[in-house]
Amino acid sequence: MRALVVGAGPAGCTAAVALAGRGADVVLVEAHPVIRPSGPGLVLQSAPLRALDSLGLLEACLERGRAHEEIDLCDASGTVRTVLRPPSLLEGRPASVAISRAALGEVLVAAVTASGTDLRPATTVTALADRGDRVEVRLSDGTTEVVDVVVGADGLHSRTRALVLPAAPEPRPNGQLIWRAPAPRPPEVTRYSMLDGGPERGKVGVVPVSDSSLYVWLLEPDRGVERPHPDRLAAAFRERLRPFGGAVPLVADRVDDVDVRSLQSLLVPLPWSRGRTVLVGDAVHTTTPQMAYGVGLAIEDSVVLADVLAEDDDVPAVLLGFGERRFDRCRLVVETSVRLGEWEQRPPADPALPGRLTGRVLAELARPL
Ligand SMILES: Cc1cc2nc3c(=O)[nH]c(=O)nc-3n(C[C@H](O)[C@H](O)[C@H](O)COP(=O)(O)OP(=O)(O)OC[C@H]3O[C@@H](n4cnc5c(N)ncnc54)[C@H](O)[C@@H]3O)c2cc1C
């Protein structure tokens, strides 16, 4: 099988590794000249760690990231109210790992290279022609690839989606803004903590990602006001962190390189493929980060896609089946995250509801793929 994967984010890199691992010849095109994931860090939960393990990438992520067995849920002052202890799905392995996006990107690109994938930065797709028994793909470097399958892994604003599923819905804002920034890790900040300041002040997370670094996020209502000038972003972020206690005052003055954006979600209805072209990752299911599962779903997509393509030669039918197999799980994450975001903005009468829903959904996601 010859495959063309569009986009070298987590979905595209893991798709390339998984397909090459099943014997496919893979071309991976990435629009950016340098493959450098943006954003400070992320958390990989237990089911994504299981999927990474099946691709042989878990050890490298554990080496580069920081394991977390527990999460402290605190009030705004930093007093711990509940300690979450999600179960691990792999014997002797942690329940979750926090890792910088750059480190994850390096692990994935190294795996792509080692898999024999033909990785082409600064290249994109200009046209796709599905001839029934193959797809002819015109690339921006002037070449044409003839492949058995095209995997669109080009993220939230996917051009592949626009080409093959032009009627797909647009991403929707969920009414929240997220601020994020890396910072050096003070030695005393060892635990992953979340501090809840209520709907007005928002929620803060402090997430150690290695011995030397961590990242801080703050979720707040999107009040529709103009964003501060880039020169003022760090000061504006520190200002918002001021009401919080716990680990926050230890790190607030160290945040730099601040990113602020509104959150969006998208769940494209089935089918997720047309003919021999299929979409994976954020291109078909973008989740807001409340469950910290977007990369996780992308990695799982790749593992399942490579499995099903190895089982049957009828590529269009296999791709339709892939979407059907993945849809409910992805919908669960997207819809639960949106619901948790709504409750962050308008807390439910029963304050235990978000915790109960999160626990139920994590248990559901722990089931085999
Ligand atoms: C604030 C925030 C926090 C998050 N935290 C977490 C977390 O803790 N844990 C977690 O699991 N997930 C988290 N996520 C979700 C996660 O970032 C995404 O789900 C994940 O990046 C999706 O991967 P992807 O490969 O599908 O898309 P992307 O990461 O968007 O990658 C797409 C790639 O395709 C390339 N590309 C785009 N267009 C083209 C084109 N036309 N041709 C070629 N290449 C193209 C892009 O340059 C990029 O490299 C978070 C998301 C946000 C917004």
Side-chain angles (χ1 to χ4, degrees), residues 6-12 29-32 35 41-45 48 101 123-125 153-160 178 180 215 261 263 280-283 285-289 292-298:
V6 188
V29 296
E30 162 59 45
H32 278 282
I35 299 167
L42 54 90
V43 175
L44 296 166
Q45 311 270 12
R101 286 189 185 248
T123 309
T124 185
V125 169
D154 44 355
L156 175 62
H157 302 292
S158 169
R159 200 172 122 67
T160 315
I178 188 157
R180 291 175 301 164
Y215 70 96
R261 62 182 66 198
L263 294 181
V280 296
D282 272 21
H285 48 72
T286 301
T287 174
T288 55
Y293 236 94
V295 170
L297 290 179

Coordinates of all heavy atoms in Angstrom, one line a residue, residues 6-12 29-32 35 41-45 48 101 123-125 153-160 178 180 215 261 263 280-283 285-289 292-298, ligand 1:
V6 N -1.5 14.0 5.1 CA -1.4 15.5 5.0 C -1.3 16.1 6.4 O -2.3 15.9 7.1 CB -2.6 16.0 4.2 CG1 -2.4 17.5 3.9 CG2 -2.8 15.3 2.9
G7 N -0.2 16.7 6.8 CA -0.1 17.3 8.1 C 0.7 16.5 9.0 O 0.4 15.3 9.3
A8 N 1.8 17.1 9.5 CA 2.7 16.4 10.4 C 2.5 16.8 11.9 O 3.5 17.1 12.6 CB 4.2 16.6 10.0
G9 N 1.3 16.9 12.3 CA 1.0 17.1 13.7 C 0.9 15.7 14.4 O 1.3 14.7 13.8
P10 N 0.4 15.7 15.6 CA 0.3 14.3 16.3 C -0.5 13.3 15.4 O 0.0 12.1 15.4 CB -0.4 14.7 17.6 CG -0.2 16.1 17.8 CD -0.1 16.8 16.5
A11 N -1.6 13.7 14.8 CA -2.4 12.7 14.0 C -1.6 12.2 12.8 O -1.5 11.0 12.6 CB -3.7 13.4 13.6
G12 N -1.0 13.2 12.1 CA -0.3 12.8 10.8 C 1.0 12.0 11.1 O 1.3 11.0 10.4
V29 N 3.3 15.0 4.0 CA 3.5 16.4 3.6 C 3.1 17.3 4.7 O 2.1 17.1 5.4 CB 2.9 16.7 2.3 CG1 3.4 15.9 1.1 CG2 1.3 16.6 2.4
E30 N 3.9 18.3 5.0 CA 3.6 19.3 6.0 C 3.8 20.7 5.5 O 4.8 21.0 4.9 CB 4.6 19.1 7.2 CG 4.7 20.2 8.2 CD 3.4 20.6 8.9 OE1 2.6 19.7 9.3 OE2 3.1 21.8 8.9
A31 N 2.7 21.5 5.7 CA 2.8 22.9 5.1 C 3.9 23.7 5.6 O 4.5 24.5 4.8 CB 1.4 23.5 5.3
H32 N 4.2 23.6 6.9 CA 5.3 24.5 7.4 C 6.7 24.0 7.0 O 6.9 22.8 7.0 CB 5.2 24.5 8.9 CG 4.1 25.5 9.4 ND1 4.4 26.8 9.4 CD2 2.9 25.3 9.8 CE1 3.3 27.5 9.8 NE2 2.3 26.5 10.1
I35 N 9.0 21.6 11.2 CA 8.0 20.9 12.0 C 8.2 21.3 13.5 O 9.0 20.7 14.1 CB 8.0 19.4 11.7 CG1 7.7 19.3 10.2 CG2 7.0 18.7 12.5 CD1 8.0 17.9 9.7
G41 N 2.6 22.8 26.3 CA 2.6 21.4 26.7 C 1.3 20.8 26.7 O 0.3 21.5 26.4
L42 N 1.2 19.6 27.0 CA -0.1 18.9 27.0 C 0.0 17.6 27.9 O 1.1 17.2 28.3 CB -0.5 18.5 25.6 CG 0.5 17.7 24.8 CD1 0.2 16.2 25.0 CD2 0.3 18.0 23.3
V43 N -1.2 17.1 28.2 CA -1.2 15.9 29.1 C -1.7 14.7 28.2 O -2.7 14.9 27.4 CB -2.2 16.1 30.2 CG1 -2.4 14.9 31.1 CG2 -1.7 17.3 31.1
L44 N -1.1 13.6 28.3 CA -1.5 12.4 27.7 C -2.1 11.5 28.7 O -1.4 11.1 29.7 CB -0.3 11.7 26.9 CG 0.3 12.5 25.8 CD1 1.6 12.0 25.4 CD2 -0.7 12.6 24.6
Q45 N -3.4 11.1 28.5 CA -4.1 10.3 29.5 C -3.8 8.8 29.3 O -3.1 8.4 28.3 CB -5.6 10.5 29.4 CG -5.9 12.0 29.4 CD -6.2 12.5 30.8 OE1 -5.9 11.9 31.8 NE2 -6.7 13.7 30.8
P48 N -4.5 7.1 25.7 CA -3.5 7.5 24.7 C -2.1 6.9 24.9 O -1.4 6.5 24.0 CB -3.5 9.0 24.8 CG -4.8 9.4 25.3 CD -5.3 8.3 26.2
R101 N 5.1 20.3 24.1 CA 4.7 20.0 22.7 C 6.0 19.8 21.8 O 6.0 19.0 20.9 CB 3.8 21.1 22.1 CG 2.4 21.0 22.7 CD 1.4 21.9 22.0 NE 0.2 21.8 22.7 CZ -1.0 21.3 22.2 NH1 -1.0 20.8 21.0 NH2 -2.1 21.2 22.9
T123 N 5.4 21.6 2.1 CA 4.7 21.0 1.0 C 3.2 20.8 1.3 O 2.9 20.4 2.5 CB 5.3 19.6 0.6 OG1 6.7 19.8 0.5 CG2 4.7 19.1 -0.7
T124 N 2.4 21.0 0.4 CA 0.9 20.8 0.7 C 0.3 20.2 -0.6 O 0.9 20.0 -1.6 CB 0.2 22.1 1.2 OG1 -1.1 21.7 1.5 CG2 0.2 23.2 0.1
V125 N -1.0 19.9 -0.4 CA -1.8 19.3 -1.5 C -2.5 20.4 -2.3 O -3.1 21.3 -1.7 CB -2.8 18.3 -0.9 CG1 -3.8 17.9 -2.0 CG2 -2.1 17.1 -0.3
A153 N -4.8 14.8 7.8 CA -4.5 15.0 9.3 C -4.1 16.5 9.5 O -3.1 16.7 10.2 CB -3.4 14.0 9.7
D154 N -4.8 17.4 8.8 CA -4.3 18.7 8.7 C -5.1 19.7 9.7 O -5.1 20.9 9.4 CB -4.2 19.3 7.3 CG -5.5 18.9 6.5 OD1 -6.3 18.2 7.0 OD2 -5.6 19.4 5.3
G155 N -5.6 19.1 10.8 CA -6.0 19.9 11.9 C -7.4 20.6 11.7 O -8.1 20.4 10.8
L156 N -7.6 21.5 12.7 CA -8.9 22.2 12.8 C -9.4 22.8 11.5 O -10.6 22.8 11.1 CB -8.8 23.2 13.9 CG -10.0 24.1 14.2 CD1 -11.3 23.3 14.6 CD2 -9.7 25.1 15.3
H157 N -8.5 23.5 10.8 CA -8.9 24.2 9.6 C -8.5 23.5 8.4 O -8.1 24.0 7.4 CB -8.2 25.6 9.6 CG -8.6 26.4 10.8 ND1 -9.9 26.9 11.0 CD2 -7.9 26.8 11.9 CE1 -10.0 27.5 12.2 NE2 -8.8 27.4 12.8
S158 N -8.7 22.2 8.4 CA -8.2 21.2 7.4 C -8.7 21.6 6.0 O -9.9 21.8 5.7 CB -8.8 19.8 7.7 OG -8.7 19.0 6.7
R159 N -7.7 21.7 5.1 CA -8.0 21.9 3.7 C -8.5 20.6 3.0 O -9.3 20.6 2.1 CB -6.7 22.5 3.0 CG -7.1 23.2 1.7 CD -5.8 23.9 1.2 NE -5.6 23.4 -0.2 CZ -6.4 23.6 -1.2 NH1 -7.5 24.3 -1.1 NH2 -6.0 23.2 -2.4
T160 N -7.9 19.5 3.5 CA -8.4 18.2 3.0 C -9.9 18.1 3.2 O -10.6 17.6 2.4 CB -7.6 17.1 3.6 OG1 -6.2 17.4 3.7 CG2 -7.8 15.8 2.9
I178 N -8.5 30.6 26.5 CA -7.5 29.9 27.3 C -6.1 30.7 27.1 O -5.7 31.0 26.0 CB -7.3 28.4 26.9 CG1 -6.4 27.8 27.9 CG2 -6.8 28.2 25.5 CD1 -6.5 26.3 28.0
R180 N -2.1 30.3 28.0 CA -1.1 29.3 28.3 C 0.3 29.9 28.1 O 0.6 30.7 27.2 CB -1.2 28.1 27.3 CG -2.4 27.3 27.5 CD -2.5 26.2 26.4 NE -2.5 26.8 25.1 CZ -2.3 26.1 24.0 NH1 -2.0 24.8 24.0 NH2 -2.3 26.7 22.8
Y215 N 4.1 24.2 32.6 CA 3.3 25.2 31.9 C 2.1 25.6 32.8 O 1.7 24.8 33.6 CB 2.9 24.8 30.5 CG 1.9 23.7 30.3 CD1 0.5 24.0 30.1 CD2 2.3 22.4 30.2 CE1 -0.4 23.0 29.9 CE2 1.4 21.4 30.1 CZ 0.0 21.7 29.9 OH -0.9 20.7 29.7
R261 N -6.0 32.2 23.2 CA -6.9 31.9 22.1 C -8.3 31.5 22.6 O -8.4 31.1 23.7 CB -6.3 30.8 21.2 CG -6.2 29.5 21.9 CD -5.5 28.4 21.0 NE -4.2 28.8 20.7 CZ -3.5 28.2 19.6 NH1 -4.1 27.3 18.9 NH2 -2.3 28.5 19.4
L263 N -11.5 29.0 22.5 CA -11.6 27.6 22.3 C -12.7 27.3 21.3 O -13.7 28.0 21.3 CB -12.0 26.9 23.7 CG -10.9 26.9 24.7 CD1 -11.4 26.2 26.0 CD2 -9.6 26.3 24.2
V280 N -8.6 12.3 9.9 CA -8.3 11.9 11.2 C -8.0 13.1 12.1 O -7.7 14.2 11.6 CB -7.2 10.9 11.3 CG1 -7.5 9.6 10.5 CG2 -5.9 11.5 10.7
G281 N -8.0 12.9 13.4 CA -7.5 13.9 14.3 C -8.5 15.1 14.3 O -9.7 15.0 14.1
D282 N -7.9 16.3 14.7 CA -8.7 17.5 14.8 C -9.5 17.9 13.5 O -10.5 18.6 13.5 CB -7.8 18.7 15.1 CG -7.6 18.9 16.6 OD1 -7.9 17.9 17.4 OD2 -7.3 20.0 17.1
A283 N -9.0 17.3 12.4 CA -9.7 17.6 11.1 C -11.2 17.2 11.1 O -12.0 17.7 10.4 CB -9.0 17.0 9.9
H285 N -12.6 15.9 14.5 CA -13.1 16.0 15.8 C -12.2 16.8 16.7 O -11.1 16.4 17.1 CB -13.3 14.6 16.5 CG -12.1 13.7 16.3 ND1 -10.9 13.9 17.0 CD2 -11.9 12.6 15.5 CE1 -10.1 12.9 16.7 NE2 -10.6 12.1 15.8
T286 N -12.5 18.1 16.8 CA -11.7 19.0 17.6 C -12.4 19.2 18.9 O -13.6 19.5 19.0 CB -11.6 20.4 16.9 OG1 -11.0 20.2 15.6 CG2 -10.7 21.3 17.8
T287 N -11.7 18.8 20.0 CA -12.3 19.0 21.3 C -11.7 20.1 22.1 O -10.5 20.5 21.9 CB -12.1 17.6 22.1 OG1 -12.6 17.8 23.4 CG2 -10.7 17.2 22.2
T288 N -12.5 20.8 22.9 CA -12.0 21.8 23.8 C -11.2 20.9 24.9 O -11.4 19.7 25.0 CB -13.1 22.6 24.5 OG1 -14.1 21.7 25.1 CG2 -13.8 23.4 23.4
P289 N -10.3 21.6 25.6 CA -9.3 20.8 26.4 C -9.7 20.2 27.7 O -8.9 19.7 28.5 CB -8.1 21.7 26.5 CG -8.6 23.1 26.4 CD -9.9 23.0 25.6
A292 N -8.6 16.9 28.2 CA -7.2 16.8 27.8 C -7.0 15.5 27.0 O -6.3 14.6 27.3 CB -6.2 16.7 29.0
Y293 N -7.7 15.5 25.9 CA -7.8 14.2 25.1 C -7.6 14.3 23.6 O -7.8 13.4 22.9 CB -9.2 13.5 25.4 CG -9.0 12.1 25.9 CD1 -8.9 11.9 27.3 CD2 -8.8 11.1 25.0 CE1 -8.8 10.6 27.7 CE2 -8.6 9.8 25.5 CZ -8.6 9.5 26.9 OH -8.4 8.3 27.3
G294 N -7.4 15.6 23.1 CA -7.4 15.8 21.6 C -6.3 15.0 21.0 O -6.5 14.3 19.9
V295 N -5.1 15.1 21.5 CA -3.9 14.4 20.9 C -4.2 12.9 21.1 O -3.9 12.0 20.3 CB -2.6 14.8 21.6 CG1 -1.5 13.9 21.2 CG2 -2.3 16.2 21.2
G296 N -4.8 12.6 22.3 CA -5.1 11.1 22.6 C -6.0 10.5 21.5 O -5.7 9.4 21.0
L297 N -7.0 11.3 21.1 CA -7.9 10.7 20.1 C -7.2 10.6 18.8 O -7.4 9.6 18.0 CB -9.1 11.6 19.9 CG -10.2 11.7 21.1 CD1 -11.3 12.6 20.7 CD2 -10.7 10.3 21.4
A298 N -6.3 11.6 18.5 CA -5.6 11.6 17.2 C -4.7 10.3 17.1 O -4.6 9.6 16.1 CB -4.7 12.8 17.1
Ligands
LIG1 C1 -5.5 25.1 24.5 C2 -5.4 23.6 24.1 C3 -4.9 22.7 25.0 C4 -4.9 21.3 24.7 N1 -4.4 20.4 25.6 C5 -4.4 19.1 25.3 C6 -4.0 18.1 26.2 O1 -3.6 18.4 27.3 N2 -4.0 16.8 25.8 C7 -4.4 16.4 24.6 O2 -4.4 15.2 24.3 N3 -4.8 17.3 23.7 C8 -4.8 18.7 24.0 N4 -5.3 19.6 23.1 C9 -5.7 19.2 21.7 C10 -4.6 19.0 20.8 O3 -3.7 20.1 20.7 C11 -5.1 18.7 19.4 O4 -6.2 17.8 19.5 C12 -4.1 18.0 18.5 O5 -3.0 19.0 18.3 C13 -4.6 17.6 17.2 O6 -3.6 17.0 16.4 P1 -3.8 17.0 14.8 O7 -2.5 16.4 14.3 O8 -5.1 16.4 14.4 O9 -3.8 18.5 14.4 P2 -2.7 19.7 14.5 O10 -2.0 19.5 15.8 O11 -3.4 21.0 14.3 O12 -1.7 19.4 13.3 C14 -2.0 19.6 12.0 C15 -0.8 19.7 11.2 O13 -1.1 19.9 9.8 C16 -0.4 20.9 9.2 N5 -1.2 21.4 8.1 C17 -2.3 22.3 8.2 N6 -2.8 22.5 7.0 C18 -2.0 21.8 6.1 C19 -2.0 21.6 4.7 N7 -3.0 22.2 4.0 N8 -1.1 20.9 4.1 C20 -0.1 20.3 4.9 N9 0.0 20.4 6.2 C21 -1.0 21.1 6.8 C22 -0.2 21.9 10.4 O14 0.9 22.8 10.1 C23 0.1 20.9 11.5 O15 1.4 20.6 11.6 C24 -5.3 20.9 23.4 C25 -5.8 21.9 22.5 C26 -5.8 23.2 22.8 C27 -6.4 24.2 21.9

